Amino acid sequence: MAGRDVPALRLSGISKSYGKVRALSNLSFEVAEGRFFVLFGPSSVGKTTALRTIAGLVATDAGQLEIHGRDMTTAPIAGRGVSMVFQSFALYPHLTVYENFAYPLREEKVGREEIDKRVKETAAMLKLSHRLERKPNTLSGGEQQRVALGRSLIRRPRILLLDEPLTNLDAKLRHDMRAELKRLHRQFGMTIIYATPDELEALSMGEEIAVMREGAVVQRGTPDELYERPIDTYVAGKIGSPHMNIVKATLAADLSGLDTPLGTFSPARRYASATAGEGALLGIRPHDLRPAARGEAGVVTRIPLLEPLGDVTVVSVQAGGETLRMVLPEQSATGLKPGDEMPVTFDLNKIHIFRAANGQAMT
């Protein structure tokens, strides 16, 4: 039996190509038992291929896959203890909800009484007891999603794979299902691997997030770690909404200052490595910009655009040929209008500095 320190899942150097298209490139990560783990990135970065590899639906070209400490790289699908919910739901249209739930148990030769018990338990948990005799095409999108989820949960998998499961739902249903999935995770304590291109889903649901790019993991960490310490401009641009403001800069000769179109600043963070006169990028989160107080030094800007979003307003400001976005509480933005001048400032302890040549963090 695997020890408690053995991860539920470990991928080591997994690669997969389809002809000349490289879907996964030396993909490596591990997931602790009971974790809600998110694979995050835009379309075509390899999220779905990674999930299908874990499920056993895709044969790898190289690398090793371990599930609960056992090498499952070439193991059959049935023996993995893994279940997958697809983006398209993949329900059987000719079967009722009851029969959709029962089908995987019948395939596993589970007894009739046990099937009936587990179907009714699963339906009650997902609030579908009154829909058991209905067919999928008579259900709402949210109900169909819950049927797809229930069909995977009824097998009691140790690892549940979810491939962009909320994409086909409207905004309210997505919100409701995010809460439902988090509740189910707490209730069952199972390991969940969740693939999504949606930043809100990733940050609100993931206990740990792996940001993917070109078939590999660029950075992995908690939502706070990725927000506060992005490893490069790619991660900085994917985590945080609105996205980080990026301004071109140059390191001063003595490395004490950072020359930018907004002025010269002395970063509070130390450089890991830097060269005098080197090109850099200054990153400022929109939430870290604020109007300068009366008498406080600040960058004089002009407002071209205001975007009221209810309790907050996104204020675009321009200075030195750069446009920056700033998030203000609704009451702080009251009275502002396009064309106004406004001095702004920011905390030098919270800025990010990246190398212009490759986008890697310098601090």
Side-chain angles (χ1 to χ4, degrees):
M1 184 175 175
R4 295 180 104 187
D5 58 339
V6 174
L9 177 71
R10 178 183 285 130
L11 279 71
S12 306
I14 297 289
S15 294
K16 176 65 180 179
S17 296
Y18 296 96
K20 294 182 179 179
V21 178
R22 200 160 177 81
L24 300 177
S25 180
N26 196 32
L27 178 65
S28 301
F29 65 86
E30 62 180 49
V31 182
E33 184 76 39
R35 203 78 162 153
F36 198 124
F37 189 91
V38 173
L39 293 176
F40 171 63
S43 299
S44 304
V45 296
K47 302 185 301 295
T48 296
T49 305
L51 291 189
R52 291 174 67 85
T53 298
I54 297 166
L57 299 170
V58 168
T60 64
D61 297 334
Q64 186 177 45
L65 169 70
E66 295 178 38
I67 298 177
H68 298 108
R70 296 174 56 201
D71 185 353
M72 292 288 186
T73 312
T74 59
I77 296 171
R80 296 186 177 219
V82 171
S83 190
M84 185 165 174
V85 177
F86 298 89
Q87 179 180 341
S88 62
F89 304 159
L91 301 175
Y92 299 114
H94 60 291
L95 300 181
T96 63
V97 170
Y98 185 104
E99 291 163 339
N100 265 278
F101 281 164
Y103 185 83
L105 298 181
R106 288 181 178 139
E107 289 291 296
E108 294 175 4
K109 305 293 190 292
V110 176
R112 181 179 299 176
E113 288 186 7
E114 178 66 14
I115 288 176
D116 188 65
K117 175 187 172 186
R118 281 162 67 173
V119 166
K120 289 176 179 175
E121 284 177 350
T122 303
M125 178 184 63
L126 293 170
K127 301 179 179 64
L128 289 169
S129 298
H130 61 304
R131 294 285 192 260
L132 285 174
E133 299 309 315
R134 300 274 290 271
K135 291 189 176 178
N137 63 359
T138 68
L139 304 178
S140 69
E143 289 170 334
Q144 289 182 38
Q145 176 61 79
R146 280 181 276 156
V147 174
L149 187 60
R151 196 175 58 186
S152 288
L153 290 174
I154 203 167
R155 295 173 55 195
R156 298 178 180 169
R158 296 184 68 183
I159 298 177
L160 179 63
L161 309 177
L162 301 172
D163 185 20
E164 301 187 26
L166 310 185
T167 301
N168 296 323
L169 306 182
D170 63 36
K172 184 182 183 305
L173 280 174
R174 283 201 302 273
H175 178 274
D176 292 345
M177 284 304 300
R178 285 199 302 268
E180 185 71 10
L181 287 170
K182 291 176 74 172
R183 182 186 70 79
L184 292 172
H185 176 246
R186 287 193 303 269
Q187 180 176 338
F188 284 93
M190 72 178 71
T191 305
I192 294 180
I193 320 293
Y194 188 103
T196 180
D198 186 288
E199 178 194 343
L200 178 59
E201 285 182 23
L203 294 177
S204 64
M205 300 176 73
E207 295 175 312
E208 193 170 9
I209 301 169
V211 182
M212 292 188 65
R213 181 181 188 180
E214 296 177 354
V217 171
V218 179
Q219 186 176 359
R220 172 185 149 193
T222 65
D224 284 346
E225 287 169 346
L226 295 177
Y227 183 85
E228 294 171 4
R229 294 186 292 280
I231 199 171
D232 58 18
T233 51
Y234 176 80
V235 176
K238 292 285 181 285
I239 301 294
S241 182
H243 294 153
M244 183 183 289
N245 297 301
I246 300 291
V247 178
K248 290 183 179 179
T250 305
L251 298 182
D254 61 358
L255 300 181
S256 64
L258 196 65
D259 297 324
T260 79
L262 307 177
T264 299
F265 305 101
S266 298
R269 297 180 176 182
R270 292 183 178 180
Y271 298 114
S273 64
T275 305
E278 182 178 358
L281 299 169
L282 169 66
I284 311 169
R285 293 283 185 193
H287 289 81
D288 293 332
L289 271 172
R290 61 175 177 81
R294 186 183 299 273
E296 183 181 18
V299 179
V300 178
T301 68
R302 187 176 296 277
I303 301 173
L305 180 66
L306 297 164
E307 301 171 78
L309 299 176
D311 59 339
V312 299
T313 297
V314 179
V315 182
S316 294
V317 295
Q318 292 178 333
E322 300 283 346
T323 299
L324 310 177
R325 301 179 85 194
M326 174 172 57
V327 176
L328 296 180
E330 179 188 9
Q331 61 272 25
S332 299
T334 302
L336 296 178
K337 59 185 184 298
D340 284 354
E341 280 194 355
M342 180 172 61
V344 301
T345 188
F346 49 88
D347 187 346
L348 290 171
N349 288 297
K350 294 185 176 180
I351 64 173
H352 303 262
I353 305 171
F354 305 96
R355 208 175 299 280
N358 57 14
Q360 294 293 311
M362 297 178 70
T363 51

